[in-house]
C-alpha cells in the first residue's frame, strides 16, 4: 500500500519555501533587502539537549529547539512538535509561518515554534512527561505569558501542555495558566480549542467551494492526514453535507465513492490505530490525485510538489497542514486554474482560539462554547473576505495576497517601533 503522507524527495525544505514566499511578498510591497533579511531571520532561537531516563533505567539524549521568529506585534506564539523528523530549519520555517498567520488574523502575537526530535509512539506516557518537563526547564527563561506561549502540535496534546504549565509554574513559585494554550479545560483551557483548527479549515473550505460555484452539500472531498486536524475536519465537512470519499494516515488511505461514515472511521482508528483496514472502505493508492471537489492536506509539509501537482484533480485545495504545497506546485496549480487556500489563512483557527484561551486565562473569566465558536467563525470569515478581496483587486493568488497582507502588518509594526540603537 502506498502511503500518502511522505513529502517530496527534494533538496529544498520548508525554510526555503517560507523564504521564497517572503521574498515574493517583500518584492511586491517594495521593501528593501535589509527589511527582507530582518524578516527572513529569527529574532531568537535555542537548541537544548534533553537527557531522558527511560523506564528500563537506560539514559538517552534527545535534541530540542525553540525558535522565536518575530515579536514586533506581541509575545511569540507557536506549537511544540514531537516528531522524529524535527530539525532546526523546519522549526524556523514553522515559526515564520506563525508570524504571518497571527498578523493575517490580527492576533497580537509574533510567531514561534518548538520541537523535540522524538517519535512519541515509542515512549511511555511517563517518559514523555519527563521529556516535556526537562525541555520546559531548559527553555523556561525564554517563555511566559508575556514572552512566548507554546501550544500542542504534531505528537503533543493537552497533557503535554499541562506538564509544561506545571513545570514553568513550579519554577515561578505560583500557577501561571497563561504560559501555554491547548491545556485541559480543568486547567484553564478553553472550550473549543481541541477542534478549533479543524473548524477554521472547514469555515474557509465551505466559503472556497461556494466561491467556485460548488454547493458544499453533495460536494466531494478527500482529507489527507487523520490526526487532530484531519479527523475533525473530515467530521465537520461531513456534518456540513460534504461527501468525504477518502481519508488517509501515515499507514495508508481508504475510500468509498458513496462517502465514508466518519464517526465509524474514528471508532476504527481508536481500536486499530489506523484508518487502514476499515471494513466499509477500499484501499486507495494516491489520495492526493483523486477526482474530488475539495482536497484537504492536513498532515505534513511538502506533500504537494512539482512531481505530483499536475495530477492533482481537486478544484479547491485547503491547507490544513503547515506548508503542504511547495512553491513549484503552487505555480503548477495556479496555471491549471486550481484554487489553493494557504495555510496561514486556512488553519489559523487553532491560534485564534489559543489567543482566546490566553485572554480568558489572563482575565480568569471563561467563555461558553457557543461564544468561542461564534468569535472563531467571525474571525475566519472576516479574514477570508479580506484576503479574497485583496487578491481580486491586485490579481494575485490567495497565498501571495495573504502573505503580503501579513508581511505588511508585521513590517509596519517593526518600522513604527524602530531599531534599538
Amino acid at each position: 500500500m502506498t502511503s500518502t503522507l511522505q513529502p517530496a524527495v527534494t533538496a529544498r525544505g520548508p525554510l526555503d519555501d517560507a523564504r521564497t514566499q517572503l521574498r515574493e511578498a517583500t518584492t511586491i510591497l517594495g521593501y528593501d533587502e535589509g527589511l527582507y533579511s530582518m524578516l527572513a531571520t529569527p529574532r531568537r532561537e535555542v537548541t537544548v539537549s534533553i537527557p531522558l531516563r527511560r523506564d528500563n533505567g537506560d539514559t538517552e539524549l534527545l535534541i530540542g529547539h525553540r525558535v522565536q521568529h518575530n515579536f514586533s506585534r506581541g509575545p511569540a506564539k507557536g506549537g511544540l512538535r514531537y516528531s522524529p523528523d524535527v530539525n532546526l530549519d523546519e522549526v524556523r520555517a514553522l515559526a515564520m509561518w506563525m508570524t504571518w498567520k497571527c498578523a493575517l488574523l490580527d492576533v497580537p502575537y509574533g510567531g514561534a515554534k518548538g520541537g523535540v526530535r522524538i517519535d512519541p509512539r515509542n515512549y511511555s506516557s511517563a517518559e514523555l512527561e519527563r521529556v516535556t518537563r526537562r525541555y520546559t526547564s531548559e527553555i523556561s527563561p525564554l517563555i511566559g505569558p508575556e514572552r512566548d506561549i507554546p501550544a500542542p502540535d504534531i505528537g503533543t496534546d493537552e497533557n503535554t501542555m499541562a506538564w509544561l504549565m506545571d513545570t514553568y509554574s513550579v519554577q515561578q513559585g505560583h500557577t501561571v495558566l497563561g504560559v501555554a494554550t491547548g491545556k485541559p479545560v480543568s486547567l484553564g483551557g478553553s472550550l473549543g480549542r481541541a477542534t478549533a483548527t479543524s473548524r477554521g479549515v472547514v469555515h474557509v473550505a465551505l466559503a472556497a467551494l461556494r466561491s467556485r460555484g460548488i454547493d458544499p452539500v453533495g460536494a466531494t472531498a478527500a482529507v489527507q492526514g487523520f490526526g487532530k486536524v484531519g479527523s475533525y475536519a473530515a467530521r465537520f465537512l461531513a456534518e456540513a453535507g460534504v461527501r468525504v470519499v477518502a481519508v488517509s494516515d501515515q499507514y495508508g488511505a481508504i475510500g468509498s465513492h458513496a462517502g465514508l461514515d466518519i464517526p465509524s472511521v474514528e471508532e476504527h482508528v481508536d481500536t486499530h490505530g489506523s484508518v487502514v483496514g476499515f471494513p466499509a472502505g477500499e484501499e486507495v493508492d494516491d489520495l492526493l490525485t483523486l477526482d474530488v471537489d475539495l482536497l484537504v492536506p492536513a498532515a505534513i509539509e511538502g506533500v504537494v510538489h512539482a512531481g505530483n501537482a499536475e495530477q492533482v484533480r481537486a478544484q479547491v485545495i485547503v491547507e490544513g497542514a503547515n506548508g503542504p504545497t511547495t512553491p513549484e506546485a503552487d505555480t503548477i496549480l495556479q496555471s491549471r486554474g486550481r484554487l489553493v487556500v494557504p495555510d496561514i489563512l486556512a488553519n489559523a483557527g487553532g491560534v485564534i482560539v489559543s489567543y482566546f484561551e490566553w485572554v480568558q486565562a489572563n482575565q480568569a473569566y471563561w467563555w461558553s462554547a457557543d461564544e468561542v465558536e461564534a468569535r472563531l467563525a467571525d474571525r475566519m470569515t472576516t479574514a477570508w473576505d479580506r484576503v479574497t478581496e485583496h487578491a481580486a483587486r491586485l490579481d494575485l493568488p490567495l497565498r501571495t495576497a495573504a502573505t503580503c497582507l501579513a508581511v505588511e502588518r508585521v513590517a509596519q509594526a517593526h518600522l513604527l517601533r524602530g531599531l534599538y540603537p
Side-chain angles (χ1 to χ4, degrees):
M1 182 179 295
T2 302
S3 171
T4 61
L5 296 190
Q6 296 302 316
V9 178
T10 173
R12 291 181 59 89
L15 184 59
D16 299 301
D17 295 345
R19 286 175 172 167
T20 296
Q21 295 161 7
L22 173 62
R23 173 69 74 182
E24 181 183 23
T26 55
T27 300
I28 291 171
L29 292 166
Y31 294 146
D32 61 23
E33 185 66 20
L35 190 55
Y36 164 80
S37 297
M38 186 274 294
L39 295 175
T41 306
R43 291 285 297 272
R44 184 181 296 150
E45 57 188 37
V46 60
T47 295
V48 298
S49 61
I50 305 167
L52 167 65
R53 185 181 66 257
R54 299 296 302 266
D55 291 340
N56 64 5
D58 292 344
T59 298
E60 180 178 337
L61 186 67
L62 304 170
I63 298 297
H65 309 285
R66 188 71 183 173
V67 173
Q68 296 170 346
H69 172 257
N70 189 280
F71 29 82
S72 293
R73 299 182 62 255
K77 185 79 183 78
L80 170 59
R81 172 174 296 194
Y82 286 179
S83 166
D85 300 319
V86 163
N87 63 74
L88 186 54
D89 276 355
E90 176 195 54
V91 178
R92 287 165 172 160
L94 294 167
M96 186 186 301
W97 282 323
M98 277 299 301
T99 297
W100 313 144
K101 192 179 300 182
C102 293
L104 183 66
L105 275 294
D106 199 21
V107 173
Y109 291 140
K113 204 74 174 185
V116 177
R117 195 176 306 130
I118 182 176
D119 187 341
R121 296 169 298 180
N122 299 332
Y123 294 79
S124 69
S125 177
E127 289 170 333
L128 292 174
E129 179 177 354
R130 293 196 288 273
V131 169
T132 302
R133 290 185 181 278
R134 184 59 182 252
Y135 172 80
T136 303
S137 179
E138 293 290 342
I139 69 166
S140 61
L142 302 182
I143 63 174
E146 297 86 23
R147 296 180 180 180
D148 182 356
I149 307 110
D153 198 86
I154 293 173
T156 57
D157 56 20
E158 63 177 21
N159 293 323
T160 315
M161 294 303 105
W163 298 328
L164 186 151
M165 185 274 290
D166 180 70
T167 305
Y168 181 84
S169 297
V170 168
Q171 291 185 346
Q172 300 302 309
H174 60 95
T175 298
V176 187
L177 295 178
V179 69
T181 59
K183 304 182 300 297
V185 172
S186 58
L187 287 177
S190 175
L191 296 171
R193 173 61 184 87
T195 61
T197 303
S198 306
R199 286 199 180 276
V201 166
V202 173
H203 282 309
V204 297
L206 299 179
L209 287 170
R210 295 188 188 102
S211 76
R212 283 296 175 102
I214 302 171
D215 186 347
V217 177
T220 56
V223 178
Q224 183 241 9
F226 206 72
K228 289 192 288 285
V229 176
S231 61
Y232 284 116
R235 181 198 297 185
F236 298 147
L237 285 169
E239 290 175 356
V242 177
R243 182 157 48 101
V244 181
V245 298
V247 298
S248 69
D249 59 22
Q250 62 188 315
Y251 304 107
I254 58 167
S256 169
H257 179 73
L260 294 164
D261 182 339
I262 299 303
S264 295
V265 177
E266 292 173 337
E267 291 178 6
H268 179 82
V269 171
D270 289 342
T271 302
H272 300 282
S274 171
V275 301
V276 175
F278 179 64
E282 300 176 350
E283 179 181 323
V284 173
D285 286 333
D286 192 352
L287 177 145
L288 295 170
T289 61
L290 292 177
D291 187 8
V292 291
D293 299 308
L294 170 67
L295 172 64
V296 180
I300 57 175
E301 306 90 16
V303 296
V304 182
H305 48 81
N308 64 6
E310 288 283 0
Q311 286 74 53
V312 172
R313 289 187 279 177
Q315 293 299 309
V316 177
I317 298 95
V318 177
E319 297 185 330
N322 292 312
T325 310
T326 67
E328 296 84 1
D330 258 336
T331 301
I332 294 169
L333 293 170
Q334 183 185 352
S335 71
R336 298 177 59 227
R338 294 338 192 220
L339 177 66
V340 179
V341 183
D343 48 4
I344 63 171
L345 170 60
N347 66 30
V351 75
I352 291 171
V353 179
S354 278
Y355 168 55
F356 295 165
E357 180 178 332
W358 179 75
V359 169
Q360 293 170 79
N362 288 339
Q363 295 177 338
Y365 181 83
W366 277 265
W367 308 340
S368 69
D370 287 343
E371 285 180 290
V372 171
E373 168 57 23
R375 295 179 192 220
L376 170 62
D378 179 66
R379 288 269 185 155
M380 294 301 299
T381 54
T382 297
W384 164 261
D385 291 342
R386 186 165 178 252
V387 171
T388 53
E389 289 168 5
H390 192 68
R393 185 168 62 252
L394 299 182
D395 191 24
L396 296 172
L398 290 186
R399 188 186 313 280
T400 305
T403 305
C404 285
L405 287 169
V407 169
E408 183 176 33
R409 185 167 279 172
V410 174
Q412 286 176 345
H414 170 76
L415 293 171
L416 286 169
R417 292 180 59 157
L419 289 174
Y420 188 74

